[in-house]
Amino acid sequence: MTEKNILPPLTQIPAHLQTIADYEIEAEKHLSSMVWDYLQGGSMDEVSVRDNLQQFQDIQLLPRMLKDLTHGGTEIEILGQKFPHPIFLAPIGHQQQFHPEAEAASALAAEVMGSNMILSTFSNTDMRALKQDNPLKWFQLYWQGDREKSLALVKMAEAHHYTALVITVDSPHTGIRDRERHAFFHLPEGMQHPHTPTHIPLPELKEGDHPVFHGLMKIAPTWDDIAWIVQQTHLPVILKGIVHPQDAQLAMQHGVKGLIISNHGGRVLDTCISPLLALQLIKKVVPVDFPLLYDGGIRRGSDIFKAIALGASAVLIGRPYIYGLATAGALGVAHVIKILKEEFEITMALMGTATVTDIQPECLFSGIE
Amino acid sequence: MTEKNILPPLTQIPAHLQTIADYEIEAEKHLSSMVWDYLQGGSMDEVSVRDNLQQFQDIQLLPRMLKDLTHGGTEIEILGQKFPHPIFLAPIGHQQQFHPEAEAASALAAEVMGSNMILSTFSNTDMRALKQDNPLKWFQLYWQGDREKSLALVKMAEAHHYTALVITVDSPHTGIRDRERHAFFHLPEGMQHPHTPTHIPLPELKEGDHPVFHGLMKIAPTWDDIAWIVQQTHLPVILKGIVHPQDAQLAMQHGVKGLIISNHGGRVLDTCISPLLALQLIKKVVPVDFPLLYDGGIRRGSDIFKAIALGASAVLIGRPYIYGLATAGALGVAHVIKILKEEFEITMALMGTATVTDIQPECLFSGIE
Amino acid sequence: MTEKNILPPLTQIPAHLQTIADYEIEAEKHLSSMVWDYLQGGSMDEVSVRDNLQQFQDIQLLPRMLKDLTHGGTEIEILGQKFPHPIFLAPIGHQQQFHPEAEAASALAAEVMGSNMILSTFSNTDMRALKQDNPLKWFQLYWQGDREKSLALVKMAEAHHYTALVITVDSPHTGIRDRERHAFFHLPEGMQHPHTPTHIPLPELKEGDHPVFHGLMKIAPTWDDIAWIVQQTHLPVILKGIVHPQDAQLAMQHGVKGLIISNHGGRVLDTCISPLLALQLIKKVVPVDFPLLYDGGIRRGSDIFKAIALGASAVLIGRPYIYGLATAGALGVAHVIKILKEEFEITMALMGTATVTDIQPECLFSGIE
Amino acid sequence: MTEKNILPPLTQIPAHLQTIADYEIEAEKHLSSMVWDYLQGGSMDEVSVRDNLQQFQDIQLLPRMLKDLTHGGTEIEILGQKFPHPIFLAPIGHQQQFHPEAEAASALAAEVMGSNMILSTFSNTDMRALKQDNPLKWFQLYWQGDREKSLALVKMAEAHHYTALVITVDSPHTGIRDRERHAFFHLPEGMQHPHTPTHIPLPELKEGDHPVFHGLMKIAPTWDDIAWIVQQTHLPVILKGIVHPQDAQLAMQHGVKGLIISNHGGRVLDTCISPLLALQLIKKVVPVDFPLLYDGGIRRGSDIFKAIALGASAVLIGRPYIYGLATAGALGVAHVIKILKEEFEITMALMGTATVTDIQPECLFSGIE
């Protein structure tokens, strides 16, 4: 096998990059095989990775014609905060793997394009480096093994004007990622994470202990920890990774202000319920204005439209913006957001929906059956 | 990559051209890659392009045997007008791309074969050039940005004996056609369109305006414009591109006399409801004799039969006749119509249906379930 | 393209021929491409050809264990006639194309294996040449354009001890067979058919006449003709090709004694209802002991079992025995029957069904849902 | 064709063997084509072989988050016997084909890993050679043609501390295995089976006898034989291969204490009901604590989880541990069990289920629909 020739990031956007699929093809040329496998791969047989994409193709749009759309726009509001459009950047760690400017580049693109940036705990960029007076930034927390260490990060996020706290709850154990393991994936030697160690220290096991149940599970957060955090911060707390309607109800009872419905991009639990299904289950049990964000498989503007029609307040994109980052840094991320935003606007126009609140279940064939 | 060798149009039909699929293969040899991508491509991931074809294969026919069919025939009547058979030519613009004789060749074939020709606003052939005393021609209108310019075309169509007006309403914005864009498609320099500019001038945008909502949407027609046109012409007005049953009801309320159920060949809104489904939804909400024409994915005579069984009064073919046009001009178009007409007649005979009105939902397995 | 090397028929059976699929592969080596396309091909896009096979794979068996099967056997009785097993040979014409001994070879194998042979009107072998005192032979009639010519064949069949009359009613017009037409299929010059001309002469068309409705349909039989034939013969009349339950009821009203549910091997009307579905629809409207034979896609003993569980009294095989005929004449046909019979017996044993009458809907998962 | 180069078994585990799929690829390198075809193949068209795998991918998991799992574990109890985890080794005969140490190697790995070993009647290893004081071993009985020979094996199993008796009832006749037959599969000359002849002698057939019904079926066991065995032994009797709910009820009436739901790995009756479906049917008709073990298609820890959620008390693995055996003997088997156990534990953790009894239908999307 010959060594792969890795291209440096581009400094301008070539004309043939027109869709997220184009960026996916391009990005691979700018990454090592190991990093590419890390980015693209998912848990076990990657059924969920594929299903996250397939589910959108199976939903049929039912457009209305001849409506007056001249007052149209893409603005939304969540928990009192206004956003110019519903395309948010999902929390993704270790972005230095994809581009030397890492999360700083993604954040810059988000700022320019009016996207809400959700910064990962595993960021290589210090959360204090993001533009202070841009309110379109949320902080994502991975539980730090105990309450005090976790709270310290929350307080730093508060101090630096992050406007919401996203706690990821679906991965107390890392997924079994065949593709990653076959590539013997590891983070680069000496990679800096300003806010967290790469691995939280585990409790010592006694003989006969299960490494899973008496190890990792001892440092995983529980509902009590969520309730405690909610009381310690004025930031609205949003849970990422809830897919069960009973957990959605528990979240509300524990003071949580919103949910991100996600199967973690198919990277944790293979054959997990598809997030569009979970969204519909959860939509039925929460108040109509309770924020439900959607994460998973968005590749086209019409996917955004469908997620919103099924109940989402906004959507997160993950791999798509990393394709942009790997291809051309901040410029690439900005272009990826622009592509999706334009596709979303054109879809709105073709569907006869002037505003995001006009996007309802009745816009889908499934909604009138 | 070597330059593609483009064959000139044929002047007689070789024996191996027996089906629409044969013509599809042949046509590609007579067109540049760019024009081929334009013709074959559809919106985004082309889910709808494929679905338009697939939907017919999933419908099972339930034939009757031993009936007396000696009085049979394919004649139909729509809005008081008689047609020898229900195969109409869909409005397709810019036909000079496919053959130098453009729409004139298609119209000649339609006339010879008794097909109703629906001439596109974007025709390269002047509407006044079609045979005056052939009543089997309708005019298709793309909204010209304002009422007066639109009406001028309607009046010209009236004056030249077009017998109905088809207004296309499903594409206020062009589709996002990946295949076309990857080929950097453009119309030939200097191509003549006698009835319309290629692009209607857009209103000027102010700062902060959405290019979609405050641009194209400002020159798109609304229901009020349809009502106005209906009042200005004695031609029956038919809307092309309606797929929602509520829009079908609005159309009737605004004086529209018929609908063409279509997803624009999958070229505008990808994953739009499949037109056979839309036909069934709309059939339920209109009077039994309200004309519903079907457009999308017809490739065999049995497809025509199925669309009629599900409620269509007639069907439009699009790409199939362009395959004929690219292959052999008027001769090719005529042969394509002949193939479909013969397949349709044989299907009728094998199904035990003597006349088009005998073709009912009960002819399909789905109709007796 | 080099000429295909066509192998002569084998005179003994090699050990690797163990399944019908093996015979299919082998048979192709012994036939010209044109004849192979004729044999394998079906109508139009061959959806029904594929569906006839697929439908069996989608049916799940639900076996019973630990039953006493020592009294088991495969004998059946239809219309008072006893058969050692339910595997019949479908009427297939022009068998000289496949082997010089034609239907004579198939009939010999049927006789040896206890299979009921249904001899085609288009036989190259004279019906009078089949063994007189073997009652396991039925005659298949294609309508001869008028009553007298048709009756003459019926009377000859009576005189030569055929025990039932099968009238094929599903193909008043030949199917549109793309594969055949692409091969420019034609029967060999001078092929002899002792009982019928290859084409019945058509009535002369007047100007404006439809060639289908005023041509072939004028010489097609109707229910009146069936009733007339029933009155002219003491043979039980069985219709082949009925798939609609209302036609099944009409058949009974016209004196028909049994039906062969068939879509003609997918060779006439593509996307016709799958015969297993039709069997289930018809089973619901006929008396419990009314003979329903099944034809289409049988390739394994378990397929026979499934057809019987869904209501069939016996099954016809078509292409499978022609594979045997092309491979090794009578020897090949006999081996094909033997393979299917053994597979059927083993399936019965594994299913816990001692006799054919024990094979009921409850043997399938669908039967207990 | 060149001779296949068969690698000797490995003596340590290379790092790239991380999943059962990895072991499948590796195992093929260590076996002759004939033995590989025997191992991998199934009955007829292998629809059931593929379906056994596919069925798991179609089931969606519905995880709970933020639960306290620190008291978790994988222990189970069946018929009063405790097992450290629910992964059992299915009875597979003739293991000398895969590794010279045969069942002795598998049993050693099972013992080390706490897996329950179900030793086959067709073992090449004497049942008396397994470790006496390890209670995690059951004996599988193939009926020996008569009661006394069968009972002799049961008494030997009792005497050597096997703790349950598994009687396989789904294969009174061997499956029709195309792949095996095409490879002209045969056991090695002189292979030793300490407990049974390879073929039970058949009763002599009279003329006209069916070889199936009057041959093999005469030496097959019936419900009476099961009742008799139950009375002769203090071991709990478990039937393997029951899939019909009425047979489950008969089993309970005849004194059977548990069932293994199985379609014999797709090796006996092709298109047999998928065992996960059968499990659900049977679960409805037995008492809640009646042991139902699941066998078929387990390849991942999440498959184990799903089978248990649908009602299984434990699962059997078959081909997976043979992949381990062929690759590296006892070491390979142990590693295969370890992989599945770890995947199962991680799945439990990600699903929020602390104990095996917490795994319920509500853990699946299908369980809350």
Side-chain angles (χ1 to χ4, degrees):
Chain A
M1 209 187 320
T2 55
E3 201 63 17
K4 178 179 175 181
N5 180 29
I6 303 172
L7 301 183
L10 304 177
T11 54
Q12 54 185 17
I13 305 297
H16 71 272
L17 295 181
Q18 299 169 338
T19 65
I20 305 309
D22 296 335
Y23 267 98
E24 184 174 0
I25 292 167
E26 183 66 30
E28 188 175 3
K29 302 175 188 166
H30 298 272
L31 296 174
S32 72
S33 297
M34 188 181 75
V35 171
W36 182 247
D37 285 343
Y38 169 79
L39 174 61
Q40 290 292 91
S43 179
M44 300 209 290
D45 301 304
E46 300 185 356
V47 172
S48 288
V49 172
R50 290 187 296 276
D51 186 47
N52 277 8
L53 302 175
Q54 183 58 46
Q55 58 181 346
F56 286 106
Q57 301 215 343
D58 296 340
I59 298 174
Q60 295 197 338
L61 296 167
L62 191 49
R64 301 300 300 267
M65 306 302 163
L66 294 166
K67 296 178 85 164
D68 180 358
L69 306 180
T70 52
H71 61 293
T74 60
E75 297 77 10
I76 60 164
E77 184 175 326
I78 297 176
L79 296 172
Q81 187 174 5
K82 291 183 194 302
F83 303 87
H85 59 77
I87 307 168
F88 294 8
L89 299 196
I92 294 181
H94 322 302
Q95 293 192 15
Q96 219 166 63
Q97 296 181 93
F98 310 113
H99 190 275
E101 291 167 27
E103 290 80 3
S106 299
L108 176 59
E111 184 195 328
V112 169
M113 296 302 300
S115 256
N116 189 39
M117 170 85 180
I118 309 178
L119 189 75
S120 169
T121 297
F122 282 117
S123 175
N124 299 123
T125 299
D126 194 302
M127 72 163 95
R128 292 163 290 198
L130 268 63
K131 198 179 176 193
Q132 296 290 318
D133 62 358
N134 173 20
L136 301 186
K137 59 182 189 291
W138 292 359
F139 180 69
Q140 178 268 350
L141 176 73
Y142 272 116
W143 194 248
Q144 294 296 303
D146 70 37
R147 292 183 174 185
E148 293 311 319
K149 283 189 195 134
S150 302
L151 186 59
L153 289 179
V154 175
K155 288 297 166 190
M156 187 186 288
E158 280 185 7
H160 290 83
H161 309 294
Y162 287 77
T163 53
L165 180 68
V166 170
I167 309 181
T168 301
V169 297
D170 61 6
S171 41
H173 195 290
T174 189
I176 300 165
R177 299 196 198 136
D178 292 3
R179 215 195 296 197
E180 231 179 89
R181 292 159 73 212
H182 285 140
F184 299 102
F185 173 79
H186 55 89
L187 289 173
E189 198 74 33
M191 175 180 266
Q192 298 298 308
H193 295 90
H195 303 305
T196 183
T198 315
H199 293 97
I200 312 289
L202 284 174
E204 212 167 303
L205 291 178
K206 292 172 294 184
E207 198 186 316
D209 274 3
H210 278 283
V212 171
F213 297 108
H214 306 126
L216 267 175
M217 292 306 108
K218 281 210 169 157
I219 57 165
T222 65
W223 285 112
D224 285 347
D225 297 313
I226 299 299
W228 181 83
I229 282 280
V230 164
Q231 288 167 335
Q232 305 300 316
T233 179
H234 68 267
L235 294 180
V237 170
I238 293 168
L239 299 187
K240 178 167 178 286
I242 296 293
V243 292
H244 198 297
Q246 290 181 22
D247 278 350
Q249 290 171 313
L250 284 173
M252 289 188 291
Q253 291 163 20
H254 286 82
V256 168
K257 297 298 184 211
L259 299 174
I260 300 174
I261 316 300
S262 169
N263 63 6
H264 214 116
R267 298 171 75 83
V268 173
L269 179 69
D270 199 25
T271 70
C272 184
I273 185 171
S274 79
L276 278 182
L277 269 181
L279 173 63
Q280 292 170 76
L281 294 177
I282 291 177
K283 187 70 185 172
K284 288 181 194 157
V285 302
V286 297
V288 70
D289 60 348
F290 189 80
L292 298 179
L293 287 79
Y294 175 83
D295 173 60
I298 298 282
R299 295 294 180 275
R300 310 262 7 179
S302 54
D303 300 341
I304 301 169
F305 188 97
K306 290 172 182 178
I308 293 173
L310 292 171
S313 314
V315 305
L316 277 59
I317 59 170
R319 291 182 183 93
Y321 85 84
I322 300 298
Y323 301 150
L325 181 64
T327 297
L331 193 59
V333 175
H335 191 212
V336 159
I337 299 170
K338 183 166 182 286
I339 288 170
L340 286 171
K341 184 165 174 289
E342 284 182 359
E343 288 187 356
F344 176 57
E345 286 169 5
I346 293 170
T347 301
M348 285 180 70
L350 293 174
M351 288 296 297
T353 46
T355 67
V356 175
T357 48
D358 289 340
I359 304 174
Q360 292 292 331
E362 294 76 27
C363 299
L364 309 179
F365 175 53
S366 61
I368 67 151
E369 275 177 303
Chain B
M1 208 187 317
T2 54
E3 202 62 15
K4 179 180 174 180
N5 180 29
I6 303 173
L7 301 183
L10 304 177
T11 54
Q12 54 184 16
I13 305 297
H16 72 272
L17 295 181
Q18 299 169 338
T19 65
I20 306 307
D22 296 335
Y23 267 97
E24 184 174 0
I25 293 167
E26 183 66 30
E28 189 174 4
K29 303 176 188 166
H30 298 272
L31 296 174
S32 72
S33 297
M34 188 182 75
V35 171
W36 182 246
D37 285 343
Y38 169 79
L39 174 61
Q40 290 292 89
S43 178
M44 300 209 290
D45 300 305
E46 300 186 356
V47 172
S48 288
V49 172
R50 291 187 295 276
D51 187 46
N52 277 8
L53 302 174
Q54 182 58 47
Q55 58 182 344
F56 285 106
Q57 301 214 344
D58 296 339
I59 297 174
Q60 295 197 339
L61 296 166
L62 191 49
R64 302 299 301 268
M65 305 301 164
L66 294 166
K67 296 178 85 164
D68 180 357
L69 306 181
T70 52
H71 62 295
T74 60
E75 296 78 10
I76 61 165
E77 186 176 324
I78 297 176
L79 296 172
Q81 188 173 5
K82 290 184 193 303
F83 303 86
H85 60 77
I87 307 168
F88 293 8
L89 299 197
I92 294 181
H94 322 302
Q95 294 193 13
Q96 219 166 61
Q97 295 181 91
F98 310 114
H99 190 275
E101 292 167 27
E103 290 80 2
S106 300
L108 176 61
E111 184 196 326
V112 169
M113 295 303 298
S115 257
N116 190 38
M117 170 86 179
I118 310 179
L119 189 75
S120 169
T121 299
F122 282 116
S123 174
N124 299 123
T125 299
D126 194 304
M127 72 162 94
R128 291 163 290 199
L130 268 65
K131 197 178 177 193
Q132 297 290 319
D133 62 357
N134 173 19
L136 302 186
K137 58 182 189 291
W138 292 359
F139 180 69
Q140 178 269 349
L141 176 73
Y142 271 116
W143 194 249
Q144 294 297 301
D146 69 37
R147 291 183 173 185
E148 293 312 318
K149 284 190 194 133
S150 301
L151 185 61
L153 290 178
V154 174
K155 288 297 163 189
M156 188 187 286
E158 281 185 5
H160 292 83
H161 309 295
Y162 287 77
T163 52
L165 180 69
V166 170
I167 309 181
T168 302
V169 297
D170 61 5
S171 41
H173 195 291
T174 188
I176 300 166
R177 299 196 199 134
D178 292 4
R179 216 195 295 196
E180 231 179 270
R181 292 159 75 212
H182 284 140
F184 298 102
F185 173 79
H186 55 89
L187 289 173
E189 197 74 32
M191 174 180 266
Q192 298 299 308
H193 294 89
H195 303 306
T196 183
T198 316
H199 294 97
I200 312 287
L202 284 174
E204 211 167 306
L205 291 179
K206 290 170 296 183
E207 198 187 317
D209 275 3
H210 278 282
V212 171
F213 297 108
H214 305 127
L216 267 175
M217 290 307 108
K218 281 211 170 156
I219 57 166
T222 65
W223 285 112
D224 284 348
D225 297 314
I226 299 300
W228 182 83
I229 282 280
V230 163
Q231 287 167 335
Q232 305 300 317
T233 179
H234 67 266
L235 295 179
V237 171
I238 294 168
L239 298 189
K240 177 166 179 285
I242 295 293
V243 293
H244 198 296
Q246 290 181 22
D247 278 349
Q249 290 170 313
L250 283 174
M252 289 188 291
Q253 291 163 21
H254 286 81
V256 168
K257 296 299 182 211
L259 298 174
I260 300 175
I261 316 300
S262 169
N263 63 6
H264 214 117
R267 298 172 74 84
V268 172
L269 179 69
D270 199 25
T271 71
C272 185
I273 186 171
S274 79
L276 278 181
L277 269 182
L279 173 62
Q280 293 170 74
L281 294 177
I282 290 177
K283 187 71 184 172
K284 288 181 195 160
V285 301
V286 297
V288 71
D289 59 349
F290 189 81
L292 298 179
L293 287 82
Y294 174 84
D295 173 61
I298 298 283
R299 296 293 181 273
R300 310 256 16 173
S302 54
D303 299 341
I304 301 169
F305 187 97
K306 290 172 182 178
I308 293 173
L310 292 171
S313 313
V315 304
L316 277 59
I317 59 170
R319 291 183 183 91
Y321 84 85
I322 300 297
Y323 300 151
L325 181 64
T327 297
L331 192 60
V333 176
H335 191 213
V336 159
I337 299 170
K338 183 166 183 287
I339 287 170
L340 286 172
K341 184 165 174 288
E342 283 182 0
E343 288 187 357
F344 177 57
E345 286 169 3
I346 293 170
T347 302
M348 284 180 71
L350 293 173
M351 288 297 298
T353 46
T355 66
V356 175
T357 48
D358 289 340
I359 304 173
Q360 292 292 331
E362 294 76 25
C363 298
L364 309 180
F365 175 52
S366 61
I368 67 152
E369 275 176 302
Chain C
M1 207 187 322
T2 55
E3 201 61 15
K4 178 179 174 180
N5 180 29
I6 303 173
L7 301 182
L10 304 177
T11 54
Q12 54 185 15
I13 305 297
H16 71 272
L17 296 181
Q18 299 169 338
T19 64
I20 305 307
D22 296 336
Y23 267 98
E24 184 174 359
I25 292 166
E26 183 66 30
E28 188 174 3
K29 302 176 188 167
H30 298 272
L31 296 174
S32 72
S33 297
M34 189 181 74
V35 171
W36 183 246
D37 284 342
Y38 169 80
L39 174 60
Q40 290 292 90
S43 179
M44 299 209 290
D45 301 304
E46 300 186 358
V47 172
S48 287
V49 172
R50 290 187 297 276
D51 186 47
N52 277 9
L53 303 174
Q54 183 57 47
Q55 58 182 346
F56 285 106
Q57 301 214 346
D58 296 339
I59 297 174
Q60 294 197 338
L61 297 166
L62 190 49
R64 302 298 302 267
M65 305 301 165
L66 294 166
K67 296 178 86 164
D68 181 357
L69 306 180
T70 52
H71 61 293
T74 60
E75 296 78 8
I76 61 164
E77 185 175 325
I78 297 176
L79 297 171
Q81 189 175 3
K82 289 183 195 303
F83 302 87
H85 59 77
I87 307 168
F88 293 10
L89 300 196
I92 294 181
H94 322 301
Q95 294 193 15
Q96 220 167 59
Q97 295 180 92
F98 310 114
H99 191 276
E101 291 168 26
E103 290 81 3
S106 299
L108 177 60
E111 184 195 328
V112 170
M113 295 304 298
S115 257
N116 189 39
M117 170 84 179
I118 310 178
L119 190 74
S120 170
T121 298
F122 282 116
S123 175
N124 299 123
T125 300
D126 194 303
M127 72 162 96
R128 292 163 289 199
L130 268 63
K131 197 179 178 192
Q132 297 290 319
D133 62 358
N134 173 18
L136 302 186
K137 58 182 189 294
W138 292 358
F139 180 69
Q140 178 268 350
L141 177 72
Y142 272 115
W143 193 250
Q144 294 296 300
D146 68 38
R147 290 183 174 185
E148 291 312 319
K149 284 189 193 133
S150 302
L151 186 60
L153 290 178
V154 175
K155 288 297 163 190
M156 188 187 286
E158 280 185 6
H160 290 83
H161 309 295
Y162 287 76
T163 52
L165 180 68
V166 171
I167 309 181
T168 301
V169 297
D170 61 5
S171 41
H173 195 292
T174 189
I176 300 166
R177 298 194 199 137
D178 292 3
R179 215 195 295 198
E180 233 179 88
R181 291 159 74 211
H182 284 140
F184 299 101
F185 173 79
H186 55 90
L187 289 173
E189 198 73 31
M191 175 180 266
Q192 298 299 308
H193 295 90
H195 304 306
T196 184
T198 315
H199 294 97
I200 313 288
L202 284 175
E204 209 166 306
L205 291 180
K206 289 170 297 182
E207 198 187 316
D209 275 3
H210 278 284
V212 171
F213 297 108
H214 306 129
L216 267 174
M217 290 308 107
K218 281 210 170 158
I219 57 166
T222 64
W223 285 112
D224 284 349
D225 298 314
I226 300 299
W228 182 83
I229 281 280
V230 164
Q231 287 167 336
Q232 305 301 316
T233 178
H234 67 267
L235 295 180
V237 171
I238 293 168
L239 298 188
K240 177 166 178 287
I242 296 293
V243 293
H244 198 297
Q246 290 180 21
D247 278 349
Q249 290 170 314
L250 283 174
M252 289 189 293
Q253 291 163 20
H254 286 81
V256 168
K257 297 298 183 211
L259 298 175
I260 300 175
I261 316 299
S262 169
N263 62 6
H264 215 117
R267 299 171 74 83
V268 172
L269 179 69
D270 198 26
T271 71
C272 185
I273 186 171
S274 80
L276 278 182
L277 268 182
L279 173 62
Q280 293 170 74
L281 294 178
I282 291 177
K283 186 73 184 171
K284 288 181 194 159
V285 301
V286 297
V288 71
D289 59 349
F290 189 80
L292 298 179
L293 287 81
Y294 174 84
D295 173 61
I298 298 283
R299 295 293 181 275
R300 312 259 12 175
S302 53
D303 299 341
I304 302 169
F305 188 98
K306 290 172 183 179
I308 294 173
L310 291 171
S313 314
V315 304
L316 278 59
I317 59 170
R319 291 183 183 91
Y321 84 84
I322 300 298
Y323 300 150
L325 181 64
T327 297
L331 193 58
V333 176
H335 192 214
V336 160
I337 299 169
K338 183 166 184 289
I339 288 169
L340 286 172
K341 183 165 175 290
E342 284 182 0
E343 288 187 356
F344 177 57
E345 286 168 4
I346 292 170
T347 302
M348 285 180 70
L350 293 174
M351 288 296 298
T353 46
T355 67
V356 175
T357 48
D358 289 341
I359 304 173
Q360 293 292 331
E362 295 75 26
C363 297
L364 309 180
F365 175 52
S366 60
I368 67 152
E369 275 177 302
Chain D
M1 210 186 320
T2 54
E3 201 62 16
K4 177 179 175 181
N5 180 29
I6 303 173
L7 301 182
L10 304 177
T11 54
Q12 55 185 16
I13 305 297
H16 71 272
L17 295 181
Q18 298 168 339
T19 65
I20 305 308
D22 296 335
Y23 266 98
E24 184 173 0
I25 292 167
E26 183 66 30
E28 188 174 3
K29 303 176 187 166
H30 299 271
L31 296 174
S32 72
S33 297
M34 189 182 74
V35 171
W36 182 247
D37 285 343
Y38 169 79
L39 174 60
Q40 290 291 90
S43 179
M44 299 209 290
D45 301 304
E46 300 186 358
V47 172
S48 287
V49 171
R50 289 187 296 276
D51 187 46
N52 278 9
L53 303 174
Q54 182 57 47
Q55 58 182 344
F56 285 106
Q57 301 215 345
D58 296 340
I59 297 174
Q60 295 197 338
L61 297 166
L62 190 50
R64 302 299 301 265
M65 306 302 162
L66 295 166
K67 296 178 85 164
D68 180 357
L69 305 180
T70 53
H71 61 292
T74 60
E75 297 78 9
I76 61 165
E77 185 174 325
I78 297 176
L79 297 171
Q81 189 174 5
K82 290 183 193 304
F83 303 87
H85 59 78
I87 307 168
F88 292 10
L89 300 196
I92 295 181
H94 321 302
Q95 293 193 15
Q96 220 166 61
Q97 295 180 92
F98 310 113
H99 190 277
E101 291 167 28
E103 290 80 3
S106 299
L108 176 60
E111 184 195 328
V112 169
M113 295 302 300
S115 257
N116 189 39
M117 170 85 179
I118 310 179
L119 190 74
S120 169
T121 298
F122 282 116
S123 174
N124 299 123
T125 300
D126 194 303
M127 72 163 96
R128 292 163 289 199
L130 268 61
K131 197 179 178 195
Q132 297 290 318
D133 62 359
N134 173 19
L136 301 186
K137 57 181 189 293
W138 292 358
F139 180 69
Q140 179 268 349
L141 176 73
Y142 272 115
W143 193 250
Q144 294 296 300
D146 69 37
R147 291 182 173 185
E148 292 312 320
K149 285 190 194 132
S150 301
L151 186 59
L153 289 179
V154 175
K155 288 298 165 189
M156 188 186 287
E158 280 184 6
H160 291 82
H161 309 295
Y162 288 76
T163 53
L165 180 69
V166 171
I167 309 181
T168 301
V169 297
D170 61 6
S171 41
H173 195 291
T174 188
I176 300 165
R177 298 194 200 137
D178 292 3
R179 214 194 298 197
E180 232 179 89
R181 292 159 73 213
H182 284 140
F184 299 102
F185 173 79
H186 54 91
L187 289 172
E189 198 74 31
M191 175 181 268
Q192 297 299 308
H193 295 89
H195 303 305
T196 183
T198 315
H199 293 98
I200 313 287
L202 283 174
E204 209 167 307
L205 291 179
K206 292 170 296 184
E207 198 187 314
D209 275 2
H210 278 283
V212 172
F213 297 107
H214 306 128
L216 267 174
M217 291 307 107
K218 281 210 169 157
I219 58 167
T222 65
W223 284 111
D224 284 349
D225 298 313
I226 299 299
W228 182 82
I229 281 279
V230 164
Q231 288 167 336
Q232 304 301 315
T233 178
H234 68 267
L235 294 180
V237 171
I238 293 167
L239 298 188
K240 177 167 177 287
I242 296 292
V243 292
H244 198 297
Q246 290 180 21
D247 278 349
Q249 290 170 314
L250 283 173
M252 289 188 292
Q253 290 163 21
H254 286 81
V256 168
K257 297 298 183 210
L259 299 174
I260 300 174
I261 316 300
S262 169
N263 63 6
H264 214 117
R267 298 172 73 84
V268 173
L269 179 69
D270 199 24
T271 70
C272 185
I273 186 171
S274 79
L276 278 181
L277 269 182
L279 173 62
Q280 293 170 75
L281 294 177
I282 290 177
K283 187 72 184 172
K284 289 181 194 157
V285 301
V286 298
V288 69
D289 60 348
F290 189 81
L292 298 179
L293 287 81
Y294 174 84
D295 173 62
I298 298 282
R299 295 295 180 274
R300 311 259 11 175
S302 53
D303 299 341
I304 301 169
F305 187 97
K306 291 172 182 177
I308 293 173
L310 291 171
S313 314
V315 305
L316 277 59
I317 59 170
R319 290 183 184 92
Y321 84 84
I322 301 298
Y323 300 150
L325 181 64
T327 298
L331 192 59
V333 176
H335 191 213
V336 160
I337 299 169
K338 183 166 182 288
I339 288 169
L340 287 171
K341 183 166 175 290
E342 284 182 359
E343 288 187 356
F344 176 57
E345 286 169 4
I346 292 170
T347 302
M348 286 180 69
L350 293 174
M351 288 296 298
T353 46
T355 68
V356 175
T357 48
D358 289 341
I359 304 174
Q360 293 292 331
E362 294 76 26
C363 298
L364 309 180
F365 174 53
S366 60
I368 68 151
E369 276 177 303

